[in-house]
């Protein structure tokens, strides 16, 4: 069965600092991987996705993520965080054409 | 940019009542999904729907739940007899073949009293 682990429940960074959110997945074959962001009271917005090809994928809002098969990881990065990036971030995996399995999320707090 | 819409944004109901949550998927999408997120917990898959039938469902999706595409634009989730533990945010999603990505609606917050 597919699963996702986000080891950090809560992360605090200073505005302008770099950010890395960790994600590890479990799936038997090549997974489809996603990062979604959820602002308070809002829905889930897709930041980026990895299906195949280049293991470094670029997303919206200046985010990128790197797929590392050997580590079963898909960490999300941003070189310089803005206050508006404060939200909850979900890593997700899809093994086929159907359900997406989400991690428990990482809440990002940005301090001035 | 086309988006998934959901109504209502917030529904309050009494335990044992039936509720219908409505979704309008993106117009050229053919695959539809419902997920739920209990407060403070992760987003959980409920059901997927394609070609007018359920293609996969989770153990959460028991006989109290049903889905329907009553016309060419709406996709509904019905909970027959709500329980307190059904209180959650319910997200609808749709997917197209081109991008092969699920796009989520803003959610309906269901509160069962």
């Amino acid at each position: 069965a597919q699963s996702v682990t986000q080891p950090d429940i809560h992360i605090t960074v200073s505005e302008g600092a770099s950010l890395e959110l960790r994600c590890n997945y479990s799936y038997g074959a090549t997974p489809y991987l996603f990062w979604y962001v959820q602002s308070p009271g809002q829905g889930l917005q897709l930041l980026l996705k990895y299906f195949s090809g280049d293991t470094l994928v670029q997303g919206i809002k200046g985010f990128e993520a790197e797929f590392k098969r050997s580590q079963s990881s898909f960490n999300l990065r941003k070189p310089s965080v803005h206050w508006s990036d404060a939200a909850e971030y979900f890593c997700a995996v899809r093994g086929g054409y159907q359900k997406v399995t989400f991690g428990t999320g990482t809440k990002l707090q940005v301090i001035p | 940019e086309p988006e998934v819409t959901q109504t209502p944004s917030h529904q309050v109901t009494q335990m044992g009542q039936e509720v219908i949550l409505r979704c309008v998927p993106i117009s050229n999408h053919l695959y539809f999904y419902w997920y739920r997120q209990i407060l403070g917990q992760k987003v959980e898959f409920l059901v997927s729907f394609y070609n007018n039938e359920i293609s996969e469902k989770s153990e959460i999706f028991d006989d109290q739940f049903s889905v329907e595409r009553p016309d060419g634009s709406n996709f509904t989730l019905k909970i027959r007899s709500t329980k307190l533990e059904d209180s959650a945010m319910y997200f609808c999603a749709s997917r197209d073949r081109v991008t092969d990505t699920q796009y989520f609606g803003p959610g309906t917050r269901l509160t069962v009293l």
Side-chain angles (χ1 to χ4, degrees), chain A residues 40-97:
Chain A
Q42 302 297 310
L44 295 158
Q45 182 183 22
L46 179 69
L47 281 177
L48 48 77
K49 63 187 180 186
Y50 171 79
F51 286 178
S52 64
D54 193 347
T55 56
L56 184 64
V57 293
Q58 303 296 322
I60 62 171
K61 304 185 181 187
F63 285 92
E64 66 177 28
E66 186 171 13
F67 170 61
K68 292 187 177 178
R69 184 188 300 276
S70 62
Q71 298 176 19
S72 297
S73 70
F74 188 56
N75 294 348
L76 181 72
R77 300 194 294 248
K78 186 169 183 178
S80 178
V81 168
H82 188 260
W83 64 267
S84 60
D85 294 323
E88 189 156 19
Y89 292 79
F90 292 92
C91 182
V93 62
R94 196 186 86 211
Y97 288 99

Side-chain angles (χ1 to χ4, degrees), chain A residues 4 32 34 36 38 41-44 46 49 51 88 90 94 97-105 107, chain B residues 31 33 35 37 41-45 48-49 55-56 89 91 95 99-107:
Chain A
V4 176
Y32 294 77
F34 307 84
Y36 287 88
Q38 184 181 33
Q42 302 297 310
L44 295 158
L46 179 69
K49 63 187 180 186
F51 286 178
E88 189 156 19
F90 292 92
R94 196 186 86 211
Y97 288 99
Q98 302 304 335
K99 70 175 183 181
V100 173
T101 298
F102 287 83
T104 49
K107 280 199 177 106
Chain B
Y31 303 84
Y33 308 83
Y35 293 79
Q37 184 182 30
Q41 299 185 24
K42 66 178 179 180
V43 178
E44 302 172 289
F45 168 80
S48 58
F49 190 86
S55 42
E56 187 176 0
M89 180 76 94
F91 292 105
R95 175 171 73 84
T99 64
D100 204 15
T101 299
Q102 291 180 28
Y103 293 91
F104 287 78

Side-chain angles (χ1 to χ4, degrees), chain B residues 6-98:
Chain B
Q6 291 184 243
T7 54
S9 57
H10 192 184
Q11 172 102 39
V12 181
T13 189
Q14 295 290 325
M15 189 169 58
Q17 295 296 303
E18 174 184 287
V19 295
I20 297 177
L21 309 183
R22 301 180 194 280
C23 167
V24 179
I26 296 173
S27 64
N28 61 341
H29 289 190
L30 300 176
Y31 303 84
F32 314 115
Y33 308 83
W34 283 102
Y35 293 79
R36 79 171 185 192
Q37 184 182 30
I38 295 172
L39 188 64
Q41 299 185 24
K42 66 178 179 180
V43 178
E44 302 172 289
F45 168 80
L46 290 178
V47 65
S48 58
F49 190 86
Y50 170 71
N51 201 25
N52 279 322
E53 59 183 33
I54 290 173
S55 42
E56 187 176 0
K57 59 183 181 179
S58 72
E59 60 277 5
I60 302 168
F61 194 89
D62 61 22
D63 292 343
Q64 293 298 313
F65 292 88
S66 62
V67 289
E68 191 179 28
R69 188 148 162 84
D71 53 43
S73 59
N74 289 284
F75 179 51
T76 62
L77 174 70
K78 182 194 291 186
I79 308 175
R80 213 178 327 275
S81 177
T82 50
K83 304 190 276 279
L84 295 176
E85 53 265 37
D86 293 327
S87 294
M89 180 76 94
Y90 287 81
F91 292 105
C92 173
S94 69
R95 175 171 73 84
D96 72 347
R97 283 191 175 132
V98 174

